[in-house]
Amino acid sequence: MGPEFDIIVVGAGPAGSSAAAALAESGFRVAIIEKSTRPGSKPCAGGLVMRGVQRLPKRVLNSVERYCFETQVNILSAGLSFVTKRPQPIIAMVMRQHFDRLLLEEAISAGALLFDGQTIKRVRNTNQAVHIVTNGTPLTASYLIAADGALSPVARGIGLYGQVELVPAIECEIEVTEALFDQYCNAARFDLGFVPQGYGWVFPKKDHLSVGVGRLRRGNTRLGKYLDEYLSFLRLSDCRILEKNASIISLWAGRNRFASGRVLLTGDAAGLADPLTAEGISNAMLSGQLAANAIRGAEKYGIRDAATYYEKLLKQKIIKEIRVASKVSEWIYDYPKVMHGAFAIYGERICEGMIQIMLGQTSYIRVLANPLTYLRPFTFGGKFTRRSKIDKTRPFG
């Protein structure tokens, strides 16, 4: 008797649902294992860059609460502010509960079966199949796609746990007055340096704000204290907090194993968040699609090892970029003087390059390899970006 399913997907987030939908549409028997019994709120700021939006099924676009055509990057210690305005949206704002539910519904509509309320107890990875034991019915499949988050029980079960860097963030959804909302509703805002080796953000949603602080390095930084100070800095400390969540962001740590045998790690389980911005949804969805492509390729073309094929695709499409972004992240977060100097001279170019990356128009590699990135300092300005000095004599909000 063969495996009950062709593929088991553990986790119903962006990576898992994207993989499950692609494989079910191709005629594979797919089971989704999800620990929750219903989609709940996720500790996530909910900012999805447009290169990720372009991969979404049409009906999932209904989860977008607001499109931001403008970003504001503030280098607080240098007293500089950069506002970039584009004619097309740059970042889509979603609430993860709604977003994840629609992605999961896409996978179920394509034919995937959902087993919710299931906790992974044991994973056995053999040459012929993958066997998992949950608190429900044991299941067997030809392949397993792990999309079960930064603390992945599947990665732990197959000996690949601990290969990612786990960094902290904390965010809250807050209700604000109409006047305050009008003040913050146009731009996705980033305040670099408010947190050591990190930043604060303000993301406008449909009728409220998501505000948070995060660090792009490991360690206890008392983020709760920094969040309180950030809300005060923004003049939002008296506003009603609807929800507050701490989270862990999973970053690539320079190790190269993303699969073992018949198990493929995707999304946060593989540490695929952008090491400069910490945005993880777009790479999570792409990694799920790449895992689906690897399995389809192995089955259709007789590729002997789907895991090796997946790692090759992942390195070509995601890791190559993450390597470069990691180096830029070091310059920005680990060396404040380098960051100040870079933004003082090339601030407009940096901001416009980042927006092009978010839009999917270019890559970190192309931006850093382009001589114009270095030959056009701030005196030439930017096509879409304008700088100003922060007036420290008045509240900056």
Side-chain angles (χ1 to χ4, degrees), residues 44-168:
C44 174
L48 175 58
V49 297
M50 291 307 293
R51 73 170 185 267
V53 173
Q54 293 160 10
R55 301 189 186 103
L56 290 175
K58 199 167 186 179
R59 72 186 282 245
V60 180
L61 293 175
N62 292 330
S63 65
V64 176
E65 297 204 351
R66 181 176 297 272
Y67 289 100
C68 285
F69 294 72
E70 180 179 329
T71 62
Q72 182 182 22
V73 177
N74 304 310
I75 315 300
L76 300 177
S77 55
L80 293 174
S81 180
F82 298 88
V83 174
T84 303
K85 296 181 181 181
R86 295 287 300 231
Q88 68 270 69
I90 300 167
I91 302 177
M93 300 299 177
V94 301
M95 294 299 292
R96 283 291 301 276
Q97 181 176 2
H98 189 202
F99 178 75
D100 286 9
R101 186 180 73 248
L102 290 180
L103 276 176
L104 177 58
E105 288 175 0
E106 283 290 308
I108 293 171
S109 296
L113 295 179
L114 174 64
F115 294 81
D116 57 2
Q118 303 293 305
T119 303
I120 300 296
K121 301 294 185 182
R122 188 165 66 251
V123 179
R124 189 160 62 91
N125 189 10
T126 71
N127 291 332
Q128 291 76 35
V130 182
H131 307 270
I132 69 168
V133 176
T134 72
N135 57 319
T137 305
L139 297 173
T140 304
S142 298
Y143 300 97
L144 187 151
I145 295 174
D148 52 343
L151 302 177
S152 173
V154 171
R156 192 186 299 274
I158 63 170
L160 292 185
Y161 185 73
Q163 296 199 120
V164 298
E165 291 282 342
L166 302 178
V167 299

